[in-house]
């Protein structure tokens, strides 16, 4: 992509309404524009990262055998009356009346809709286990939308729902989701710690929230510092193996890690004093097992092996896809701007032309752009007639992890410069070597 043809409305001034760094940088880097309180347009750069996160979430869900689908944003109130949540949900629910006078709502979540789909189509235990998920916009009329996409009113969520014959099967689905989430967050360049959470109106002991530690997080958390050494890494896992998934769950949840809602001073005191930590965290996901709550209320039963109808055991599992952009930036930035992890970067690298209009330099940049593209990479070439300082500032702000700088002086010696956004370190090499280097970083 040529920057001169792209739409990247970078702001010079720091917007005064933004209180936290991720919100400031998302506005300044031209990633989002507020449409109304807590509702955003996703400008091209922000949209690219959002899509990249979605792709990773899809890949990891499908790796575990979960099936993608898409449910609507607008739902009928009748289903929510069946579950009893139409009245319970309160003012966070955006209620709408259509021209026929029917009560509708903009879905804040999808348990009712998916249960309705399930009961209409599945009647035998032989069709279980089943996990369906989608990535869809949600609306919650939050009292205080703030911090940009972190606490929006309209936001993108991956929500998945498992249907199982027994509690044991449903707990395996729970553990399996925990594993998929660990992998997903690590691929996004994040450490998200599963913490024992409060079931809220859903109830039950089986719920974990995934938290990214950050001073600007809205949750208060308490944990054993040993937990931050755990890495899921690149291990192969058989998602059908109850033992393997259980082992990961116990590895990642046996140390003390809780949100303030479930924090227990007496338990926490058992952690050696030098490992006790309290901090702030951003909730980027949550998993639940809630048994037969919805299946009983809505008549989602299957015929069991003995021919008798049994209500299915269910769980729901959410990832805050749009909130993740904010969380990643909170975890990865410096005073010049964003530093994207390679897994989610909107462009693989930037190309900065130090002498736009100089025939040799322009030609070198163009052939670099072609070579990178042929290697399966997507570079952003800053071909504007701007001073070098301005080009560097833009690249630093938008946070591409790698930059190739091309100027007449280097070209005379047959080299370009490759710079890491994270370390700031530069290395001179031939253009061919630069392409090979970037390709290798991305495994191309
Ligand atoms: P919170 O406690 O932050 O209000 P929640 O527990 O109500 O969130 P869930 O129902 O667990 O949210 O939704 C799953 C995920 O969706 C959350 O873990 C979070 O990452 C994301 N999410 C929830 N509310 C918002 C919001 N208002 N804006 C952006 N993302 C959100
Ligand atoms: Mg939650």
């Amino acid at each position: 992509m040529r920057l001169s043809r792209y739409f990247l409305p970078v702001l010079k001034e720091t917007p005064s309404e933004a209180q936290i760094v991720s919100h400031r940088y998302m506005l300044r880097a031209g990633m989002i524009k507020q449409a109304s309180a807590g509702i955003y347009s996703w400008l091209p750069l922000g949209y690219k990262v959002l899509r990249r996160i979605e792709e990773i979430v899809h890949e990891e869900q499908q790796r575990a055998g979960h099936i993608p689908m898409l449910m609507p944003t607008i739902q009928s109130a009748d289903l929510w009356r069946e579950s009893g949540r139409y009245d319970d949900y309160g003012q966070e629910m955006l209620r709408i009346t259509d021209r026929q006078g029917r009560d509708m709502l903009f879905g804040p979540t999808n348990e009712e809709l998916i249960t309705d789909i399930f009961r209409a189509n599945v009647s035998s235990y032989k069709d279980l286990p089943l996990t369906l998920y989608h990535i869809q916009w949600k609306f919650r009329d939050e009292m205080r939308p703030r911090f940009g996409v972190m606490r929006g009113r309209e936001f993108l969520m991956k929500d998945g729902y498992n249907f199982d014959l027994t509690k044991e099967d449903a707990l395996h689905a729970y553990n399996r989701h925990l594993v998929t989430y660990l992998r997903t967050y690590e691929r996004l360049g994040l450490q998200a710690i599963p913490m024992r959470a409060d079931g809220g109106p859903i109830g039950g002991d089986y719920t974990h929230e995934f938290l990214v530690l950050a001073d600007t997080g809205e949750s208060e958390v308490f944990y054993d510092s040993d937990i931050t050494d755990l890495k899921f890494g690149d291990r192969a896992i058989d998602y059908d193996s109850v033992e393997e998934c259980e082992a990961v769950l116990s590895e990642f949840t046996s140390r003390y890690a809780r949100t303030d809602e479930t924090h227990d001073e007496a338990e926490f005191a058992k952690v050696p004093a030098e490992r006790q930590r309290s901090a702030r965290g951003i909730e980027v996901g949550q998993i639940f097992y809630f048994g037969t709550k919805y299946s009983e209320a809505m008549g989602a039963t299957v015929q069991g092996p003995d021919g008798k109808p049994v209500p299915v055991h269910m769980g729901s599992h959410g990832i805050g896809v749009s909130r993740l952009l904010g969380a990643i930036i909170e975890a990865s930035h410096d005073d010049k701007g964003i530093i994207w992890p390679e897994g989610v970067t909107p462009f693989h690298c930037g190309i900065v032309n130090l002498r736009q209009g100089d025939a040799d330099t322009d030609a070198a940049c163009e052939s670099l752009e072609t070579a990178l593209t042929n290697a399966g990479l997507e570079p952003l070439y800053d071909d504007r007639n701007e001073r070098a300082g301005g080009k560097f500032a833009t690249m630093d702000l938008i946070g591409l992890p790698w930059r190739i700088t091309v100027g007449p002086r280097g070209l005379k010696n047959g080299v370009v410069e490759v710079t890491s956004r994270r370390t700031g370190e530069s290395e001179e090499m031939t253009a061919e070597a630069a392409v090979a280097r970037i390709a290798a970083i991305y495994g191309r």
Side-chain angles (χ1 to χ4, degrees):
M1 176 59 68
R2 302 276 170 100
L3 193 43
S4 64
R5 297 178 199 164
Y6 198 47
F7 182 67
L8 186 72
V10 164
L11 306 180
K12 292 244 156 44
E13 307 295 318
T14 297
S16 58
E17 75 268 28
Q19 297 163 32
I20 62 171
V21 69
S22 57
H23 189 195
R24 280 199 290 276
Y25 283 153
M26 286 185 78
L27 292 170
R28 282 195 49 209
M31 297 176 67
I32 51 170
K33 181 176 185 317
Q34 182 174 302
S36 61
I39 303 178
Y40 291 87
S41 296
W42 292 81
L43 306 183
L45 193 74
Y47 181 59
K48 248 171 153 343
V49 180
L50 188 69
R51 289 299 303 273
R52 188 66 200 119
I53 295 173
E54 276 189 76
E55 268 166 39
I56 291 173
V57 170
H58 272 301
E59 282 171 21
E60 293 306 328
Q61 288 307 303
Q62 289 172 50
R63 197 193 297 278
H66 304 164
I67 305 169
M69 62 178 298
L70 187 60
M71 289 176 269
T73 53
I74 307 291
Q75 306 180 19
S76 159
D78 290 342
L79 283 176
W80 287 71
R81 291 198 176 98
E82 273 190 62
S83 73
R85 285 210 294 181
Y86 190 61
D87 294 325
D88 292 352
Y89 219 94
Q91 292 200 300
E92 269 192 23
M93 182 184 274
L94 180 64
R95 295 156 206 263
I96 305 163
T97 309
D98 72 11
R99 67 199 295 169
Q100 259 84 35
R102 278 183 295 243
D103 293 330
M104 311 294 285
L105 57 98
F106 196 122
T109 175
N110 282 61
E111 280 83 4
E112 284 75 3
L113 207 52
I114 195 83
T115 306
D116 182 51
I117 292 168
F118 180 87
R119 69 180 171 187
N121 295 287
V122 182
S123 54
S124 164
Y125 76 96
K126 291 180 190 147
D127 296 323
L128 304 182
L130 179 67
T131 295
L132 300 166
Y133 78 94
H134 72 163
I135 299 180
Q136 178 62 291
W137 295 94
K138 305 288 185 286
F139 196 95
R140 294 182 187 173
D141 204 352
E142 300 273 357
M143 176 101 87
R144 286 222 297 152
R146 59 189 181 145
F147 300 159
V149 300
M150 292 273 228
R151 183 162 299 284
R153 293 198 297 163
E154 188 185 58
F155 60 96
L156 191 60
M157 195 205 287
K158 168 264 161 183
D159 42 323
Y161 305 87
N162 66 283
F163 300 90
D164 289 278
L165 182 61
T166 63
K167 179 174 178 181
E168 291 67 47
D169 290 351
L171 289 180
H172 171 57
Y174 182 89
N175 300 347
R176 197 176 63 227
H177 276 89
L178 181 124
V179 179
T180 66
Y181 281 25
L182 291 172
R183 276 190 73 115
T184 303
Y185 296 123
E186 280 196 19
R187 281 189 66 189
L188 299 173
L190 282 175
Q191 177 166 44
I193 303 171
M195 299 204 180
R196 181 117 148 237
D198 183 20
I202 289 169
D205 276 345
Y206 301 100
T207 179
H208 283 90
E209 284 178 359
F210 289 77
L211 285 118
V212 172
L213 299 174
D215 293 341
T216 47
E218 292 188 279
S219 310
E220 192 179 8
V221 299
F222 301 85
Y223 61 96
D224 174 343
S225 63
D226 267 9
I227 207 164
T228 56
D229 296 333
L230 295 175
K231 294 263 173 316
F232 187 80
D234 202 19
R235 39 182 122 167
I237 182 136
D238 175 1
Y239 284 106
D240 291 331
S241 162
V242 170
E243 296 72 31
E244 284 187 29
C245 292
E246 221 166 52
V248 174
L249 175 100
S250 70
E251 180 185 345
F252 281 82
T253 63
S254 55
R255 290 173 187 76
Y256 192 94
R258 297 191 186 187
T259 62
D260 54 354
E261 290 160 341
T262 55
H263 180 53
D264 177 337
E265 281 295 346
E267 283 295 312
F268 193 45
K270 295 180 190 159
V271 177
E274 71 279 8
R275 299 204 325 241
Q276 290 178 11
R277 298 280 187 284
S278 72
R280 315 282 312 169
I282 302 167
E283 182 193 329
V284 291
Q286 184 163 15
I287 54 177
F288 280 104
Y289 160 71
F290 46 69
T292 55
K293 176 183 158 107
Y294 295 93
S295 53
E296 287 196 44
M298 296 179 64
T301 56
V302 293
Q303 196 175 46
D306 59 2
K308 294 202 183 97
V310 278
V312 289
H313 287 257
M314 292 173 61
S316 72
H317 316 277
I319 293 182
V321 174
S322 51
R323 177 179 286 181
L324 273 165
L325 277 95
I328 293 169
I329 296 171
E330 290 295 325
S332 184
H333 67 269
D334 62 13
D335 55 2
K336 296 190 203 126
I338 301 164
I339 306 174
W340 291 117
E342 271 92 2
V344 297
T345 184
F347 294 95
H348 295 104
C349 67
I351 303 172
V352 168
N353 184 334
L354 292 178
R355 180 89 50 86
Q356 206 70 47
D358 172 76
D360 291 342
T361 315
D362 290 359
C365 287
E366 280 162 34
S367 79
L368 202 50
E369 185 188 23
T370 307
L372 287 161
T373 308
N374 289 344
L377 297 162
E378 201 180 356
L380 180 66
Y381 169 24
D382 191 345
D383 62 338
R384 297 169 305 160
N385 276 316
E386 271 238 14
R387 303 232 313 255
K391 291 189 177 185
F392 289 147
T394 300
M395 284 294 173
D396 285 345
L397 174 64
I398 69 171
L400 308 185
W402 298 94
R403 185 185 79 208
I404 307 178
T405 310
V406 184
R409 206 168 337 134
L411 287 178
K412 215 179 285 167
N413 302 320
V415 294
V416 298
E417 193 182 62
V418 176
T419 306
S420 156
R421 174 70 182 85
R422 193 167 290 280
T423 66
E425 279 163 26
S426 295
E427 207 183 313
E428 290 190 335
M429 60 188 83
T430 63
E432 294 72 39
V435 173
R437 168 75 61 89
I438 305 288
I441 288 164
Y442 291 99
R444 304 292 152 97

